[in-house]
Amino acid sequence: MLDRRTGLIGLLLAVVSAAAFGTSGVFATALLDAGWTAGSAVTVRVGVASVALAVPALVQLRGRWSLLRANAGAVLAFGALAVALPQLAYFYAVSRLSVGVALLLEYSGVLLVVLWTWARLGQRPSRVTGAGVVVAVGGLVLVLDVLSGAQIDPLGVMWGLIAAVGLASYFVLSAHSDDALPPLVSAWAGLGVGALTLGAAALVGVLPWRTTAVDVELAGRSTSWLVPVLGVALVSAALAYATGIAAVRRLGSRLSSFVGLSEVLFAVVAAWLALGQQPSVVQLVGGVVVLVGIVLVRLGEDRPPADTADVDPVPAVAEPQTPGR
């Protein structure tokens, strides 16, 4: 069982991370409505976030540069699999599917985490954990309102499942703690690699690119385009990834992935407060169901998160109406 203090700190960090990720929809919507493409928004998002984390990350690394060299391969893998891959895959998924369906497919990555910890680490989920999985996914279907006007396309489904692999990679690869980079350094390095990968994709035309420098509408007011750029980079990327990695290190990949589902709830609330997109009764009920599922998964995690010792050393890093985690 998790140490009580470690578990509480981990849960707090996981909730902060989910809340920060959940704000990205509001900021991204302002940019998209102003003429930005999803590809340019996510690339600028992770690039600016990496720059913002550079100074504190370099301070933490002072005198420990060998640690960065030792984890170079892990950083590259994380940036490609847990940052760039889900961004690209989600972008293509929403071009063929409704936002709700694309998000549901992406968040099915939490099921992949459960399967990974079972097959790779021998952590067979308890009955309580299994029940929590079913309840949480059912609640997610209600929150995303998938059954209302859902659009299904085979190629879009494939891209959504690839995004799920990227999301699962985030939680699994973030769980390693022995000889790993500090969470803040992991976030800085991983986001940097992800930004370079996405930038390369934009240069070769794989990722459509368009930005504007006009004022945007945010929370019902006209403001500079820099405001949503800084918001989506500093809050929903830099803060979200750094606290998220620290949470996974404490909770393990399985529990933290289900706490991460609360990101959807925070995104709905943020859209309600800032954009006036009031959730339906079905969505509110779904939110309660998701929370019940998370509690069940937490109660079912009665063993230490062994995945923090057995995965390859990789640093770490997901949102309604946003271009991917």
Side-chain angles (χ1 to χ4, degrees):
M1 182 175 292
L2 287 173
D3 172 78
R4 180 177 294 274
R5 183 172 182 274
T6 299
L8 288 176
I9 294 176
L11 286 172
L12 176 61
L13 289 170
V15 171
V16 170
S17 177
F21 273 126
T23 64
S24 62
V26 172
F27 296 124
T29 296
L31 294 175
L32 297 178
D33 288 346
W36 288 54
T37 60
S40 60
V42 296
T43 304
V44 170
R45 170 193 178 190
V46 296
V48 173
S50 180
V51 171
L53 292 175
V55 172
L58 293 176
V59 170
Q60 283 198 353
L61 275 177
R62 187 172 51 187
R64 296 190 293 171
W65 296 105
S66 59
L67 190 60
L68 182 60
R69 290 193 295 270
N71 286 276
V75 168
L76 292 174
F78 177 79
L81 293 176
V83 179
L85 178 64
Q87 304 276 359
L88 285 168
Y90 182 78
F91 171 77
Y92 284 115
V94 294
S95 70
R96 293 176 172 271
L97 302 171
S98 65
V99 171
V101 172
L103 281 168
L104 182 62
L105 289 170
E106 181 181 10
Y107 280 100
S108 68
V110 300
L111 303 179
L112 298 179
V113 174
V114 173
L115 294 176
W116 168 265
T117 56
W118 186 0
R120 175 67 173 83
L121 307 174
Q123 294 184 358
R124 181 176 181 177
S126 66
R127 292 182 179 179
V128 176
T129 298
V133 170
V134 174
V135 171
V137 172
L140 190 61
V141 171
L142 297 177
V143 173
L144 296 177
D145 201 12
V146 175
L147 302 179
S148 177
Q151 303 172 9
I152 303 298
D153 176 270
L155 190 57
V157 171
M158 182 196 74
W159 282 115
L161 293 176
I162 292 175
V165 172
L167 181 63
S169 298
Y170 161 54
F171 289 108
V172 171
L173 299 178
S174 299
H176 179 80
S177 58
D178 296 337
D179 300 322
L181 293 168
L184 189 146
V185 177
S186 295
W188 162 66
L191 287 168
V193 171
L196 291 175
T197 304
L198 291 167
L203 286 176
V204 299
V206 174
L207 200 65
W209 183 277
R210 184 177 66 253
T211 62
T212 64
V214 300
D215 286 350
V216 302
E217 287 293 325
L218 184 63
R221 297 182 179 181
S222 178
T223 187
S224 169
W225 61 275
L226 287 173
V227 175
V229 165
L230 293 177
V232 78
L234 302 183
V235 178
S236 66
L239 174 63
Y241 283 121
T243 53
I245 297 168
V248 178
R249 298 271 177 89
R250 289 169 171 79
L251 300 178
S253 58
R254 190 160 64 190
L255 176 56
S256 58
S257 68
F258 278 90
V259 178
L261 290 179
S262 62
E263 174 191 334
V264 179
L265 311 184
F266 286 112
V268 170
V269 172
W272 183 8
L273 296 177
L275 303 177
Q277 299 177 359
Q278 185 173 352
S280 66
V281 174
V282 172
Q283 289 179 305
L284 293 176
V285 172
V288 174
V289 174
V290 169
L291 293 177
V292 171
I294 292 173
V295 170
L296 289 175
V297 172
R298 174 67 183 89
L299 294 175
E301 295 297 277
D302 56 358
R303 291 175 295 175
D307 55 331
T308 59
D310 293 328
V311 297
D312 294 332
V314 179
V317 198
E319 30 255 336
Q321 304 174 28
T322 70
R325 176 179 277 249

